[in-house]
């Protein structure tokens, strides 16, 4: 099967919202009046971002999900994406599963594939996603204000727990491992929550490299600090048995584990009721974990409100 047969069979669809889709040198898109385009790009490399044992359908899902998560963090509505795919060989079974998982998530968010590239080489998946946001309503990292409440969506630590199990550093009951693994291999992008937080959240980021690291990007861009209540961490562990793990491992998974693709955001205390209403409407749990401060540092507080030293490091692709 040649390159163009591969594209035609597994990835080409008639354009629905694009002016020109797959089949020309460029895709063409007309944004709606009163909206700005939001773009993001992510690359998944075998052995670095995913294991060779992952099911192709889950990998197709995750490849798009990590990009949709970036749009969610900006408050953007998904519209379209480009796919660049490097494959060791044109394996029809693998391509069928991968494209099924990819399009299942794409269709759920009305986000269409409009172009890209394929080549032979080590397995590498690169997606560029595009969304729309009303002019001036993008949620950026730079808007955090001292006094804001700090929130996290969903639950953290599952993906890192699964990775530790794969590494053999922790033994889990099969049901717990299966639940953690699906969170690692098939994350849920919080698109509905992100869009609903437009005009509510002052700043937001998605948690891809770990809570502390991604929150740190907000603090740096906004020139503020934060206090995190460690007493709030158990509320972020509800979908796993993390609380039964050694405390250091549990906190490592939650604070710096990464691959969660939840949202960390801040909003003024006056918006508390709105935040919880948005959480309920979007079907996404939200937990208040601390506050934004005017001191440019990130502080962890114990149950007595005392600062504790932090030894947690988030994921770095070049560390």
């Amino acid at each position: 099967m040649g390159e163009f047969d591969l594209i035609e069979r597994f990835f080409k669809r008639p354009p629905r919202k694009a002016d020109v889709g797959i089949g020309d040198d460029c895709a063409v898109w007309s944004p709606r009046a009163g909206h700005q385009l939001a773009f993001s790009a992510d690359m998944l490399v075998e052995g670095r971002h995913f294991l060779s044992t992952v099911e192709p359908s889950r990998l197709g899902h995750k490849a798009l999900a990590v990009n949709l998560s970036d749009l969610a963090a900006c408050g953007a509505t998904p519209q379209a994406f480009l796919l660049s795919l490097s494959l060791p060989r044109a394996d029809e079974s693998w391509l069928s599963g991968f494209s099924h998982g990819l399009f299942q998530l794409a269709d759920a968010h009305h986000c269409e594939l409009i172009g890209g590239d394929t080549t032979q080489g080590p397995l590498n998946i690169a997606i560029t996603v595009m969304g729309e946001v009303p002019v001036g309503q993008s949620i950026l990292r730079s808007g955090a204000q001292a006094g804001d409440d700090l929130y996290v969506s969903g639950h953290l630590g599952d993906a890192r727990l699964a990775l530790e199990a794969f590494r053999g550093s922790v033994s889990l009951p099969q049901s717990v491992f299966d639940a953690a693994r699906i969170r690692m291999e098939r994350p849920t992008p919080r698109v509905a929550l992100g869009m609903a937080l437009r005009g509510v959240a002052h700043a937001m980021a998605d948690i891809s490299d770990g809570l502390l690291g991604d929150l740190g990007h907000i603090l740096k861009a906004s020139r503020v600090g934060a206090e995190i209540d460690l007493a709030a961490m158990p509320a972020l562990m509800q979908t796993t048995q993390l609380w039964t793990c050694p405390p250091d491992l549990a906190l490592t998974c939650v604070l710096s584990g990464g691959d969660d693709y939840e949202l960390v955001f801040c909003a003024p205390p006056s918006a508390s009721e709105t935040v919880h209403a948005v959480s309920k409407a979007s079907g996404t749990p939200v937990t208040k974990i601390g506050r934004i401060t005017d001191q440019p540092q990130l502080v962890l507080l114990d149950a007595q409100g005392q600062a504790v030293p932090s030894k947690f490091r988030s994921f770095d692709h070049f560390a």
Side-chain angles (χ1 to χ4, degrees):
M1 179 169 50
E3 175 185 2
F4 299 105
D5 293 331
L6 184 159
I7 295 169
E8 186 79 25
R9 179 172 174 182
F10 294 103
F11 297 107
K12 187 172 182 179
R13 289 175 158 188
R16 295 179 303 231
K17 294 183 284 185
D19 300 310
V20 178
I22 294 174
D24 275 83
D25 289 313
C26 291
V28 179
W29 186 275
S30 298
R32 289 186 295 164
H35 288 72
Q36 295 172 300
L37 296 180
F39 294 90
S40 184
D42 266 299
M43 184 185 303
L44 297 185
V45 179
E46 184 177 20
R48 189 62 172 170
H49 300 100
F50 62 91
L51 303 176
S52 60
T53 54
V54 64
E55 293 179 9
S57 62
R58 291 187 180 184
L59 184 57
H61 173 102
K62 183 171 183 177
L64 182 58
V66 302
N67 285 271
L68 294 180
S69 183
D70 285 329
L71 291 184
C74 186
T77 304
Q79 296 293 341
F81 66 102
L82 305 172
L83 169 67
S84 294
L85 190 59
S86 171
L87 296 168
R89 59 190 181 280
D91 184 322
E92 295 186 23
S93 177
W94 188 94
L95 284 162
S96 178
F98 178 85
S99 60
H100 174 76
L102 179 83
F103 283 126
Q104 190 174 50
L105 183 62
D107 291 344
H109 292 280
H110 309 288
C111 188
E112 64 177 314
L113 177 61
I114 59 173
D117 190 25
T118 57
T119 190
Q120 186 175 29
L123 184 54
N124 184 4
I125 306 155
I127 285 181
T128 299
V129 72
M130 178 180 73
E132 288 184 343
V133 62
V135 172
Q137 293 189 33
S138 299
I139 307 173
L140 307 179
R141 296 175 175 178
S142 55
Q145 299 176 22
D148 281 350
D149 290 330
L150 188 60
Y151 298 90
V152 167
S153 71
H155 306 289
L156 304 181
D158 303 82
R160 177 60 179 269
L161 185 64
L163 181 60
E164 293 299 327
F166 274 117
R167 288 172 171 172
S169 59
V170 62
S171 179
L172 301 173
Q174 189 64 45
S175 61
V176 175
F177 172 68
D178 290 343
R181 181 178 183 177
I182 200 167
R183 286 274 290 158
M184 178 177 76
E185 296 179 343
R186 205 172 184 275
T188 301
R190 302 302 190 180
V191 174
L193 177 64
M195 291 189 295
L197 285 170
R198 291 196 299 243
V200 180
H202 282 162
M204 186 154 60
D206 84 320
I207 303 174
S208 56
D209 297 329
L211 171 60
L212 296 186
D214 291 308
L215 172 58
H217 297 318
I218 291 177
L219 304 184
K220 182 177 180 180
S222 300
R223 299 182 180 180
V224 293
E227 294 176 343
I228 292 181
D229 297 321
L230 293 180
M233 295 303 101
L236 299 177
M237 304 179 190
Q238 290 177 359
T239 60
T240 72
Q241 289 185 346
L242 271 171
W243 59 87
T244 67
C245 295
D248 279 357
L249 174 60
L251 282 178
T252 294
C253 290
V254 172
L255 294 174
S256 60
D259 236 14
D260 294 299
Y261 301 100
E262 296 291 352
L263 298 176
V264 54
F265 63 95
C266 60
S270 60
S272 174
E273 289 188 8
T274 303
V275 168
H276 290 293
V278 162
S279 166
K280 184 176 180 179
S282 65
T284 308
V286 166
T287 302
K288 180 182 172 182
I289 64 164
R291 62 209 58 83
I292 300 296
T293 67
D294 57 6
Q295 299 298 314
Q297 57 185 336
L298 178 54
V299 179
L300 304 181
L301 301 177
D302 62 19
Q304 288 71 45
Q306 300 298 309
V308 298
S310 174
K311 55 185 177 182
F312 305 101
R313 295 184 60 188
S314 289
F315 181 76
D316 184 331
H317 288 86
F318 292 95

